[in-house]
Amino acid sequence: YGGIFNICTGGDPISLDMHQELSFLTENVVQCAYNGITQLDPEDPEEVIGDLAKSWELSKDGLTYTFHLHEGVQFHDGTPLTAEDVKFTFDREINPPKGILAPRRADLEPVDKIETPDKTTVKFILKYPSGFFLDVISTGFQVIYSKAFVEKRGDMKKDVMGTGPFKFKHYSLGISLEYVKNPNY
């Protein structure tokens, strides 16, 4: 607590956009700034636990996952996390804008549509029941981006701005990526 955390990697990340990259070089150095809806339990990686979602339900027909987000979560720039950010993030991967790569798009193939009935509720309506859907959205690459931030920047190749325990400070190509503790985490 309050010290320096060093990670050694085999090289620089191709970019800082978790959604456009497949390389562990990106995930290892950027993931500390983000959260997903859910995550794999660090103590039992076969179990899915909440991250930004405090709870969720699956409909009896297996087609609708309803996630209830924690209230009061903020992005590093101070803006509140909303269900619209979650919807935007996954829509960007399922139907990427021109020039945006989506290497995990096929993993999200079961998703038919995403609805946001209110600011803290997100519904994923699937085309068919999928036994691996929760595992897919719980991987380290499925981090949530701020809709407003991405729309302003265009992509996240050179930016890191999430809700996670560390805030991006500085990147020196070939030398280091620096983060500071997120006091609001």
Side-chain angles (χ1 to χ4, degrees):
Y1 181 83
I4 296 173
F5 176 55
N6 293 309
I7 299 173
C8 181
T9 66
D12 284 308
I14 296 166
S15 87
L16 302 177
D17 192 330
M18 292 281 283
H19 296 156
Q20 293 195 67
E21 303 303 337
L22 288 170
S23 171
F24 73 92
L25 293 172
T26 298
E27 182 181 23
N28 284 352
V29 299
V30 179
Q31 188 179 26
C32 65
Y34 292 102
N35 294 99
I37 297 176
T38 54
Q39 64 178 326
L40 298 176
D41 186 338
E43 296 192 16
D44 182 2
E46 294 188 22
E47 290 295 317
V48 173
I49 60 173
D51 198 2
L52 293 172
K54 61 183 175 183
S55 64
W56 62 91
E57 303 94 40
L58 176 60
S59 62
K60 287 184 181 185
D61 64 4
L63 294 176
T64 304
Y65 283 86
T66 303
F67 294 91
H68 305 282
L69 304 175
H70 288 283
E71 295 178 23
V73 176
Q74 294 180 349
F75 284 100
H76 296 156
D77 66 358
T79 59
L81 167 80
T82 69
E84 281 298 320
D85 296 303
V86 175
K87 179 180 180 346
F88 168 80
T89 296
F90 282 95
D91 282 345
R92 181 177 181 257
E93 287 190 84
I94 294 166
N95 295 304
K98 185 176 181 175
I100 300 295
L101 301 175
R104 283 170 289 287
R105 182 180 186 184
D107 294 341
L108 298 168
E109 205 294 311
V111 178
D112 185 34
K113 61 183 172 178
I114 304 168
E115 297 176 351
T116 55
D118 60 49
K119 289 185 178 192
T120 60
T121 306
V122 182
K123 288 185 174 191
F124 287 80
I125 295 96
L126 306 183
K127 299 171 195 168
Y128 49 83
S130 171
F132 67 88
F133 177 72
L134 269 181
D135 290 335
V136 165
I137 66 168
S138 299
T139 67
F141 285 99
Q142 294 296 352
V143 299
I144 303 303
Y145 287 159
S146 161
K147 177 181 178 183
F149 191 84
V150 174
E151 287 178 341
K152 185 167 95 174
R153 294 287 211 265
D155 66 39
M156 296 297 287
K157 289 184 175 185
K158 295 182 180 178
D159 293 301
V160 179
M161 208 280 291
T163 57
F166 295 96
K167 295 170 74 170
F168 179 74
K169 180 180 177 185
H170 180 72
Y171 180 28
S172 296
L173 187 64
I175 299 171
S176 67
L177 276 126
E178 295 178 54
Y179 293 90
V180 295
K181 181 181 175 185
N182 177 4
N184 298 320
Y185 188 73

